[in-house]
Coordinates of all heavy atoms in Angstrom, one line a residue:
M24 N 39.3 5.4 -57.0 CA 38.5 5.2 -58.2 C 37.0 5.7 -57.9 O 36.5 5.3 -56.9 CB 38.5 3.8 -58.7 CG 37.6 3.5 -60.0 SD 37.7 1.7 -60.4 CE 36.8 1.8 -62.0
V25 N 36.5 6.5 -58.8 CA 35.1 6.9 -58.7 C 34.3 6.1 -59.8 O 34.7 6.1 -60.9 CB 34.9 8.4 -59.0 CG1 33.4 8.8 -59.0 CG2 35.6 9.2 -57.8
I26 N 33.3 5.4 -59.3 CA 32.4 4.7 -60.3 C 31.0 5.4 -60.2 O 30.3 5.3 -59.2 CB 32.2 3.2 -59.9 CG1 33.6 2.6 -59.8 CG2 31.3 2.5 -60.9 CD1 33.5 1.1 -59.4
G27 N 30.7 6.1 -61.3 CA 29.4 6.8 -61.3 C 28.4 6.1 -62.1 O 28.7 5.5 -63.2
T28 N 27.1 6.1 -61.7 CA 26.1 5.5 -62.5 C 25.0 6.5 -62.8 O 24.8 7.4 -62.1 CB 25.4 4.3 -61.7 OG1 24.6 4.8 -60.7 CG2 26.5 3.4 -61.1
Q29 N 24.4 6.3 -64.0 CA 23.3 7.2 -64.3 C 22.4 6.4 -65.3 O 22.8 5.6 -66.1 CB 23.7 8.5 -64.9 CG 24.5 8.5 -66.2 CD 24.8 9.9 -66.7 OE1 24.6 10.9 -66.0 NE2 25.4 9.9 -67.8
N30 N 21.1 6.8 -65.4 CA 20.1 6.3 -66.3 C 19.9 7.3 -67.4 O 19.4 8.4 -67.2 CB 18.8 6.0 -65.6 CG 18.9 5.0 -64.4 OD1 19.7 4.1 -64.5 ND2 18.1 5.2 -63.4
P31 N 20.2 6.9 -68.7 CA 20.1 7.8 -69.8 C 18.6 8.1 -70.2 O 18.3 9.1 -70.9 CB 20.9 7.2 -70.9 CG 20.8 5.7 -70.6 CD 20.8 5.6 -69.1
V32 N 17.7 7.2 -69.8 CA 16.3 7.3 -70.3 C 15.4 8.0 -69.2 O 14.3 8.3 -69.5 CB 15.7 6.0 -70.7 CG1 16.5 5.4 -71.8 CG2 15.7 5.0 -69.5
E33 N 15.9 8.1 -68.0 CA 15.1 8.7 -66.9 C 15.7 10.0 -66.6 O 16.3 10.2 -65.6 CB 15.2 7.7 -65.7 CG 14.1 8.0 -64.6 CD 14.3 7.1 -63.5 OE1 15.1 6.2 -63.5 OE2 13.6 7.3 -62.5
M34 N 15.4 11.0 -67.4 CA 16.1 12.3 -67.3 C 15.3 13.4 -66.6 O 15.8 14.5 -66.4 CB 16.4 12.8 -68.8 CG 17.3 11.8 -69.6 SD 18.8 11.4 -68.8 CE 19.7 13.0 -68.9
E35 N 14.0 13.1 -66.2 CA 13.3 14.1 -65.4 C 13.9 14.4 -64.1 O 14.3 13.5 -63.3 CB 11.8 13.7 -65.2 CG 11.0 13.5 -66.5 CD 11.2 12.2 -67.2 OE1 12.0 11.4 -66.6 OE2 10.7 12.0 -68.3
G36 N 14.1 15.7 -63.8 CA 14.7 16.1 -62.5 C 16.2 15.8 -62.4 O 16.7 15.6 -61.3
T37 N 16.9 15.7 -63.6 CA 18.3 15.4 -63.5 C 19.1 16.6 -64.1 O 18.5 17.5 -64.8 CB 18.7 14.2 -64.4 OG1 18.3 14.4 -65.7 CG2 17.9 13.0 -63.8
Y38 N 20.4 16.6 -63.9 CA 21.3 17.6 -64.4 C 22.4 16.9 -65.2 O 23.3 16.3 -64.6 CB 22.0 18.4 -63.2 CG 21.0 19.0 -62.3 CD1 20.5 18.3 -61.2 CD2 20.6 20.3 -62.4 CE1 19.6 18.9 -60.3 CE2 19.7 20.9 -61.6 CZ 19.2 20.2 -60.5 OH 18.3 20.8 -59.6
P39 N 22.3 17.0 -66.5 CA 23.3 16.3 -67.4 C 24.7 16.7 -67.0 O 25.0 17.8 -66.7 CB 22.9 16.8 -68.8 CG 21.5 17.2 -68.7 CD 21.3 17.7 -67.3
L40 N 25.6 15.7 -67.0 CA 27.0 16.0 -66.7 C 27.6 16.9 -67.7 O 27.5 16.7 -68.9 CB 27.8 14.7 -66.6 CG 27.4 13.6 -65.6 CD1 28.3 12.4 -65.7 CD2 27.5 14.2 -64.2
P41 N 28.3 18.0 -67.3 CA 28.9 18.9 -68.2 C 30.1 18.2 -68.9 O 30.6 17.1 -68.4 CB 29.4 20.0 -67.4 CG 29.5 19.5 -66.0 CD 28.4 18.4 -65.9
E42 N 30.6 18.8 -69.9 CA 31.7 18.1 -70.7 C 33.0 17.9 -69.8 O 33.7 16.9 -69.9 CB 32.1 19.0 -71.9 CG 31.1 18.9 -73.0 CD 29.8 19.7 -72.7 OE1 29.9 20.6 -71.8 OE2 28.8 19.5 -73.4
A43 N 33.3 18.9 -68.9 CA 34.5 18.8 -68.1 C 34.3 17.6 -67.1 O 35.4 16.9 -66.8 CB 34.6 20.1 -67.3
Q44 N 33.1 17.3 -66.7 CA 32.9 16.2 -65.8 C 33.0 14.9 -66.5 O 33.7 13.9 -66.1 CB 31.6 16.3 -65.1 CG 31.3 15.2 -64.1 CD 32.1 15.3 -62.8 OE1 31.9 16.2 -62.1 NE2 33.0 14.4 -62.6
R45 N 32.4 14.8 -67.7 CA 32.4 13.6 -68.5 C 33.9 13.3 -69.0 O 34.3 12.1 -69.1 CB 31.5 13.7 -69.7 CG 30.0 13.9 -69.4 CD 29.2 14.1 -70.6 NE 29.0 12.8 -71.4 CZ 28.0 12.0 -71.1 NH1 27.2 12.2 -70.2 NH2 27.9 10.9 -71.9
D46 N 34.6 14.3 -69.2 CA 36.0 14.1 -69.7 C 36.9 13.5 -68.6 O 37.9 12.9 -68.9 CB 36.6 15.4 -70.2 CG 37.8 15.2 -71.1 OD1 37.7 14.4 -72.0 OD2 38.8 15.9 -70.9
R47 N 36.5 13.6 -67.4 CA 37.3 13.1 -66.3 C 37.0 11.6 -66.1 O 37.8 10.9 -65.4 CB 37.1 13.9 -65.0 CG 37.9 15.1 -64.9 CD 37.4 16.1 -63.8 NE 38.4 17.2 -63.6 CZ 38.5 18.2 -64.3 NH1 37.8 18.4 -65.4 NH2 39.4 19.2 -64.0
F48 N 35.9 11.1 -66.6 CA 35.7 9.7 -66.5 C 36.5 9.0 -67.6 O 36.3 9.3 -68.8 CB 34.2 9.4 -66.7 CG 33.3 9.6 -65.5 CD1 32.6 10.7 -65.3 CD2 33.4 8.7 -64.4 CE1 31.8 10.9 -64.2 CE2 32.7 8.9 -63.3 CZ 31.9 10.0 -63.1
T49 N 37.3 8.1 -67.3 CA 38.2 7.4 -68.2 C 37.4 6.7 -69.3 O 37.8 6.7 -70.5 CB 39.1 6.5 -67.5 OG1 39.8 7.2 -66.4 CG2 40.1 5.8 -68.4
A50 N 36.4 6.0 -68.9 CA 35.6 5.2 -69.8 C 34.1 5.2 -69.4 O 33.8 5.3 -68.3 CB 36.2 3.8 -69.9
R51 N 33.3 4.9 -70.4 CA 31.9 4.7 -70.2 C 31.5 3.3 -70.5 O 31.9 2.8 -71.5 CB 31.0 5.7 -71.0 CG 29.5 5.5 -70.8 CD 28.7 6.5 -71.6 NE 28.9 6.3 -73.0 CZ 28.3 7.0 -74.0 NH1 27.6 8.0 -73.6 NH2 28.6 6.7 -75.2
L52 N 30.7 2.7 -69.7 CA 30.3 1.3 -69.8 C 28.8 1.2 -69.9 O 28.1 1.8 -69.0 CB 30.9 0.5 -68.7 CG 30.4 -0.9 -68.5 CD1 30.8 -1.8 -69.7 CD2 30.9 -1.5 -67.2
S53 N 28.3 0.5 -70.9 CA 26.9 0.1 -70.9 C 26.8 -1.4 -70.8 O 27.3 -2.1 -71.6 CB 26.3 0.6 -72.3 OG 26.3 2.0 -72.4
I54 N 26.1 -1.8 -69.7 CA 26.0 -3.2 -69.4 C 25.2 -4.0 -70.4 O 25.5 -5.1 -70.9 CB 25.6 -3.4 -68.0 CG1 26.6 -2.8 -67.0 CG2 25.4 -4.9 -67.7 CD1 26.1 -2.9 -65.5

């Protein structure tokens, strides 16, 4: 299992995940 974390509001110097990558994540969780 891969558990990826990211901050949606701190986007400077980041590379947004492409659609193919996001589609491989089964679910997205916001705590």
Side-chain angles (χ1 to χ4, degrees):
M24 181 183 187
V25 174
I26 304 177
T28 72
Q29 64 177 4
N30 301 325
V32 297
E33 192 181 354
M34 302 302 290
E35 293 82 5
T37 62
Y38 304 87
L40 296 179
E42 286 75 19
Q44 182 73 67
R45 297 176 74 88
D46 198 45
R47 279 167 169 76
F48 280 104
T49 304
R51 180 181 61 182
L52 168 64
S53 295
I54 297 177

